[in-house]
Amino acid sequence: MATYDFVFDRIGLNGWCEGGGESAAGPMSMSDLLAQAAGEDPSSRTSIWELPFPSLDALHNACAAFPQSRELTKGLENGFLAVKDTLKIGLDPLTQPLSWALQSALYVFQTTPWWIMIPLMLAVVLVVSRSWRLVGFVAFCVMLLAFIDHYDHAMQTLAIIFVCAFICVLLGVPIGIAMSRSNAMQRSAIPVLDMLQTLPPFVYLIPLIFLFSVTEPKLYGIAIILYAIVPVIRLTDLGIRLVDKEVIEASDAFGMTDHQKLFGVQIPLALPNIMAGVNQTIMMSLAMVVIASLVSAPGLGVLVLRGIRNLELGVGLVAGLGIVLLAVILDRVTKAALARVNAAHKY
Amino acid sequence: MTRDVKVSIRELYKIFGGAPQDALTHVRAGMGKTELLERHGHVLGLSDINVDIRAGEVTVIMGLSGSGKSTLIRHLNRLIEPTAGQILVDGEDVMTYGEAQLRQLRRERMSMVFQKFALLPHRSVLENAGMALAVRGICREEFEGEANRWLDRVGLSGYGSQYPHQLSGGMQQRVGIARALTSNSEIMLMDEAFSALDPLIRTDMQDLLLELQRELQKTVIFITHDLDESLKLADHLVILKDGRVVQQGEPQEILLHPNDPYIVDFISDINRARVLRVRSVMKKTSATPGEYAGEVDHDDNLESVIACSQGDIGLCYRVMCEGQQVGVLDMKDLVRALVPTRAADDGLRAKATA
Ligand SMILES: Nc1ncnc2c1ncn2[C@@H]1O[C@H](COP(=O)(O)OP(=O)(O)OP(=O)(O)O)[C@@H](O)[C@H]1O
Ligand SMILES: [Mg+2]
């Protein structure tokens, strides 16, 4: 006798309930298990204070034909498994270039000898920031990492971020532009972006693990890109929408085509915002690359993971500090580039 | 001398809102701006506008804030689409233009100067001045000469490599004017072009515009909410109120014969002696008066004649135009013209002080 028996008695669905009796052998719900362990019969509760919400599980107790909530998750799983193969046919070739890009970036970053790599990196820092102080700081950090034998791991992490952030910008800026041009597009994209940003990063590793084999670099590549692409999209959209209405009106009044307006006015004027988005995207890919070490992403994250798994406190802490150093470097360099863009936009 | 009509606005209506065509039937039946907003939730932008803009003249559109001036001027190059009506430029209906023709109109036949300058902040002054040419696909080397010529003309020689934010407001608007002139279009639209400038710079810019106008004879459509400015610049003055034309014509004519309490309010505290000209108060005659105190030019303002007469109202002057007598000015007529039209009892000012 379960709480909601009377509902099914009233509307005369008893026959249908019994017909679906085979699912009575289905899995027990968590609350049933707990109740059983506590030695009480779940159907003996009668007080109004203990009235259970008419959930799937409670209704299942009264009527066996009703599905349990575990069947919902199971259904989702089966559904996913069913479409997985067809999904793979499309997704696999589409994402294969990502694997290649990651593999070759990792190869290049690791096989280039350090005495070429480090000066090259410093040269890049100098070009984007034009600041010798920053170059000195970066040199110090990189040497420090190399000195404590974290150079290889740091390079792996950098290689992954390099590829992923690049792809984020490549995809994110056009998406942002499309959003800025149409309110309908913006309305439909914003919930997706919100979801990507708030979904715990571990959660979207789950379907990816089903789809791709854990040894493929694109698995973590996709996870990082999905997580990190949001800010560059948002800020491109925002930046273009914030461009002075009068300037846009002047562009129209002088007969600019949409193309001239986009590349001659909107993108240049949105550049400070787009650069701020790129900075955030890089920082978020760094955060994700650590989590992605769970699915075989190489780099400093692997050391952190080892620290947790084997309780090697020192290894984990030092690797963690290495990540902080990388984060500071990447942040300072992109901020310096941003500051230069802003200086050119002083109005 | 009557000049050709360059731009002609015919029965133009603009209604903002969800179903403008429905609202249009109410407006055509005579519903006013407030009533339309209250009863149907639509904003009446413009209602039954008919204006002929003559080539080579400065047509000033004046009205208070919200009277629809910006809306009207933006119809001329179709930055705003009308709800109904025609806009004829050189006799062609702009409303029938396709995208390419419209672009050609905006690039080559009309240029615009904006209240807040609207220069491209990331481009140098030179590139801004040459914007109209750059948009047509002309490369920098080729437009540089033209752009520099107009920058020189508006008094900005040597500023070509600066950026707009490095210039003062007045200088930025000079760049805006140079930009419009470089496009070499026959029609210039100016939306409150001088309103953001302080009074002294503003007078400078007005003088610059008049000077350029004498030389270039463009068709200028100038918007302002300032009566002194409109009287100084206008060959033809159009007064807008709540999206309707209340009066249009020669500015002197409007001053002497305002046909609406709204305009009476507008003109009630200007210095009439300074803006009224001899030609609009004189008696037209070529017969030399028996006795006269001297000669005055037909374009002199009354203030200078008063100074000349030392305040003696018994005198009489010969009015001359290019060496020919065109009329006679009796000082009594002059004083009569100075009597202000009484401010209307139900006018804005009366309401404000009540
Ligand atoms: N996009 C729009 N949507 C709805 N109403 C509008 C829109 N643009 C203008 N209006 C309305 O049209 C009327 C005229 O506006 P307009 O900007 O032409 O006035 P204006 O004479 O240029 O005023 P100002 O001197 O303040 O610039 C106003 O009542 C305004 O509320
Ligand atoms: Mg306006």
Side-chain angles (χ1 to χ4, degrees), chain B residues 18-301:
Chain B
Q21 292 301 337
D22 296 344
L24 181 63
T25 51
H26 298 299
V27 174
R28 284 213 157 115
M31 192 179 279
K33 182 166 177 155
T34 15
E35 204 185 348
L36 186 75
L37 184 61
E38 274 166 16
R39 300 253 294 270
H40 302 280
H42 281 64
V43 177
L44 179 57
L46 295 172
S47 166
D48 196 18
I49 306 282
N50 288 285
V51 179
D52 282 339
I53 292 157
R54 295 185 184 278
E57 286 191 351
V58 179
T59 300
V60 173
I61 298 171
M62 192 187 65
L64 292 177
S65 193
S67 55
K69 307 178 299 286
S70 301
T71 310
L72 178 56
I73 203 171
R74 276 163 182 68
H75 275 88
L76 299 180
N77 56 2
R78 272 180 70 188
L79 288 176
I80 299 180
E81 296 288 329
T83 308
Q86 282 185 317
I87 293 147
L88 307 172
V89 178
D90 294 326
E92 284 178 59
D93 188 355
V94 176
M95 296 315 300
T96 61
Y97 280 8
E99 204 174 311
Q101 275 176 301
L102 183 61
R103 196 148 54 226
Q104 195 259 347
L105 172 86
R106 290 174 179 177
R107 284 182 178 184
E108 291 168 24
R109 294 160 65 194
M110 278 188 190
S111 53
M112 199 158 176
V113 182
F114 295 84
Q115 177 172 6
K116 292 186 196 128
F117 323 136
L119 302 174
L120 301 183
H122 60 300
R123 296 282 171 79
S124 67
V125 165
L126 181 77
E127 287 165 328
N128 267 294
M131 175 175 158
L133 299 181
V135 167
R136 292 178 207 167
I138 296 168
C139 70
R140 193 191 154 106
E141 286 73 44
E142 286 170 51
F143 73 64
E144 205 173 309
E146 189 70 5
N148 269 325
R149 185 161 81 89
W150 289 113
L151 282 175
D152 290 352
R153 189 63 195 77
V154 299
L156 286 178
S157 332
Y159 284 95
S161 57
Q162 302 272 74
Y163 281 83
H165 72 267
Q166 295 169 307
L167 307 183
S168 70
M171 288 157 100
Q172 288 189 35
Q173 194 57 299
R174 283 170 196 262
V175 180
I177 291 174
R179 171 168 77 173
L181 292 173
T182 308
S183 89
N184 200 20
S185 60
E186 291 177 349
I187 304 170
M188 252 169 96
L189 310 177
M190 306 181 80
D191 185 4
E192 304 213 20
F194 305 149
S195 299
L197 308 174
D198 61 58
L200 225 58
I201 307 279
R202 196 165 166 168
T203 313
D204 271 1
M205 299 294 283
Q206 289 162 355
D207 293 340
L208 174 71
L209 181 67
L210 286 175
E211 191 187 319
L212 286 168
Q213 183 57 13
R214 267 194 294 279
E215 186 181 316
L216 304 169
Q217 305 276 307
K218 302 238 177 211
T219 306
V220 179
I221 295 120
F222 191 99
I223 285 195
T224 180
H225 55 240
D226 184 283
L227 184 66
D228 291 322
E229 185 166 73
S230 56
L231 292 174
K232 180 166 177 184
L233 299 176
D235 294 313
H236 184 78
L237 179 60
V238 179
I239 297 179
L240 276 188
K241 182 195 176 190
D242 290 347
R244 289 175 204 271
V245 175
V246 266
Q247 190 172 9
Q248 60 175 318
E250 230 250 295
Q252 302 273 315
E253 183 61 28
I254 294 181
L255 269 183
L256 290 171
H257 308 289
N259 70 358
D260 189 281
Y262 175 73
I263 301 171
V264 174
D265 272 347
F266 238 131
I267 61 178
S268 63
D269 62 12
I270 55 161
N271 182 347
R272 294 169 73 90
R274 188 166 297 162
V275 289
L276 283 174
R277 310 266 163 187
V278 170
R279 66 183 141 88
S280 37
V281 291
M282 69 185 188
K283 279 195 201 70
K284 278 203 186 90
T285 169
S286 50
T288 317
E291 200 180 310
Y292 59 90
E295 290 180 357
V296 292
D297 192 75
H298 75 130
D299 225 13
D300 283 345
N301 62 22

Side-chain angles (χ1 to χ4, degrees), chain A residues 14-38:
Chain A
N14 268 330
W16 173 71
C17 284
E18 260 120 56
E22 86 273 12
S23 63
M28 286 178 109
S29 73
M30 186 55 83
S31 58
D32 283 349
L33 282 171
L34 284 175
Q36 215 169 46

